[in-house]
Amino acid sequence: MAMNIFKKFTWLSIVLIIILGLESVVYYVVHNVSLDDTPDFSTFEKNSVDICSTWRDETVKRVLRRVPWWGHACDMESDWGRIRYNCKNKREMGNWPVCFDDNLVPQNNCLVYSFGINYDFRFDDAMAAIGCTVYSFDRSMLDTDDHKRGDRVFFKRIGISDKDDDHFAPRVDIYVKKRPAVNGWPMRRLQTILDLLGHRKEQLTVLKMDIEGYEWNVTRDLLDSAILSSVPQFLVEWHLFTDFPPRERVPDAVDTYFRLNDMGFQLFSTSHPRCQLYLATSLRMQAEVAYLNKKRN
């Protein structure tokens, strides 16, 4: 009996020693692997190594530490090259790609909303030329009143947002510097714009957004409200500027990006990706991405 108790005690002691040993190893590894979200910038810059290449290669360290904000951004940058839908009839409509597979763009009742113009109507005019009715929106074109540009193109000087606001104060960028918004900009949610134009019961064929960093909040609102689920094609230019959105908001922004996959939006084209990735402090990303809503089609 005493021998059995001694054996049990011995095995218990061995197990405790192993557990304590493992805890010591984990403690040593965790506290000796840098938990700082910031890599060695000087080394990256000196060797012309971008942080996203490093992020993709450092699989072991990645397991041991939380994902830094720039790691989320790099995950998004990697995803830009993953074509999930092979569009067999992709056409360049002005400066944006549109998929014409299986009558995705009908000749009748084709309705297009285009946000972010900056006086460039190439996409809008091209879609109108094939029979679509196009509404072009740009809140920064302060010297341009609402007007009918052509038989099928209508310009509206309002912007899309995640909330209705008559006096929105925009971030000062190159466009705002050229055309200061003294009294702010009129901004509306997509639901409000559809109601204003009498399109609530109509089917949007293509929704295009190039709105200089505000696409994150707008897309999140479109997903949360489920209004995007009925749109067959979504064209958007994603922006991560050096100071916008704020670094603490980048993980949420990238989460919004990947939520599109869960909603059934499959990337079929990426155009002109531009990245500055050598220093996280100056990290800048931009890409025009086109999606097809497979749950809708």
Side-chain angles (χ1 to χ4, degrees):
M1 180 69 176
M3 182 62 69
N4 290 335
I5 294 175
F6 177 77
K7 287 181 178 180
K8 289 182 179 180
F9 178 77
T10 301
W11 279 109
L12 180 61
S13 299
I14 293 173
V15 171
L16 289 174
I17 291 172
I18 292 173
I19 292 174
L20 290 173
L22 289 173
E23 288 182 347
S24 299
V25 170
V26 170
Y27 180 88
Y28 175 83
V29 170
V30 169
H31 287 78
N32 283 275
V33 173
S34 175
L35 296 178
D36 190 1
D37 288 346
T38 306
D40 185 348
F41 294 148
S42 60
T43 301
F44 285 176
E45 190 171 30
K46 179 179 178 181
N47 299 317
S48 295
V49 177
D50 71 66
I51 60 174
C52 286
S53 293
T54 303
W55 176 248
R56 287 189 289 268
D57 292 342
E58 292 188 353
T59 54
V60 176
K61 288 184 179 180
R62 192 169 177 176
V63 171
L64 293 176
R65 64 184 179 190
R66 64 187 177 88
V67 180
W69 68 264
W70 51 267
H72 289 280
C74 290
D75 287 340
M76 179 179 67
E77 184 260 349
S78 297
D79 194 69
W80 285 343
R82 296 171 184 159
I83 302 299
R84 292 184 170 85
Y85 177 79
N86 181 22
C87 179
K88 299 177 179 61
N89 187 10
K90 183 176 70 174
R91 304 181 199 172
E92 292 298 322
M93 304 302 293
N95 53 334
W96 284 86
V98 174
C99 186
F100 285 81
D101 287 2
D102 303 322
N103 198 35
L104 287 174
V105 181
Q107 293 183 347
N108 298 318
N109 300 321
C110 172
L111 179 62
V112 176
Y113 274 17
S114 175
F115 291 93
I117 308 301
N118 192 35
Y119 304 96
D120 185 351
F121 289 88
R122 285 177 293 168
F123 166 75
D124 311 64
D125 291 343
M127 294 302 293
I130 63 170
C132 294
T133 299
V134 182
Y135 282 81
S136 309
F137 304 87
D138 197 314
R139 74 285 194 202
S140 71
M141 293 169 58
L142 302 179
D143 58 353
T144 307
D145 294 327
D146 293 0
H147 68 279
K148 185 176 181 181
R149 175 178 168 81
D151 289 340
R152 295 180 177 273
V153 181
F154 302 84
F155 175 80
K156 299 292 182 181
R157 200 178 66 194
I158 57 176
I160 190 170
S161 179
D162 60 334
K163 58 181 66 69
D164 294 337
D165 188 348
D166 287 327
H167 304 286
F168 174 76
R171 165 180 171 268
V172 179
D173 58 14
I174 59 173
Y175 305 106
V176 177
K177 285 182 179 179
K178 292 178 182 178
R179 303 180 288 272
V182 178
N183 297 316
W185 288 344
M187 307 292 284
R188 296 290 183 268
R189 299 176 73 200
L190 180 59
Q191 297 93 314
T192 304
I193 295 172
L194 289 168
D195 287 337
L196 287 172
L197 299 179
H199 295 153
R200 172 66 80 162
K201 295 182 179 180
E202 295 188 40
Q203 173 62 58
L204 272 179
T205 304
V206 179
L207 172 62
K208 185 224 86 181
M209 294 196 313
D210 182 2
I211 54 176
E212 302 303 311
Y214 295 107
E215 65 274 2
W216 305 108
N217 288 344
V218 171
T219 302
R220 184 181 302 110
D221 181 55
L222 297 178
L223 291 169
D224 290 344
S225 65
I227 196 169
L228 195 60
S229 62
S230 63
V231 177
Q233 293 193 58
F234 181 45
L235 316 179
V236 57
E237 183 163 273
W238 300 111
H239 305 81
L240 285 183
F241 296 110
T242 55
D243 61 346
F244 185 71
R247 296 312 186 207
E248 64 272 14
R249 295 288 310 279
V250 170
D252 288 338
V254 175
D255 178 67
T256 297
Y257 170 86
F258 282 107
R259 279 180 64 190
L260 285 170
N261 291 335
D262 298 333
M263 287 288 293
F265 284 87
Q266 297 187 359
L267 188 155
F268 71 84
S269 179
T270 303
S271 303
H272 315 302
R274 292 186 290 275
C275 308
Q276 297 173 356
L277 307 173
Y278 294 120
L279 297 178
T281 52
S282 60
L283 184 145
R284 178 187 175 100
M285 294 182 175
Q286 182 175 323
E288 296 175 358
V289 181
Y291 298 93
L292 183 72
N293 186 351
K294 287 301 294 180
K295 289 187 177 179
R296 173 62 180 80
N297 297 291

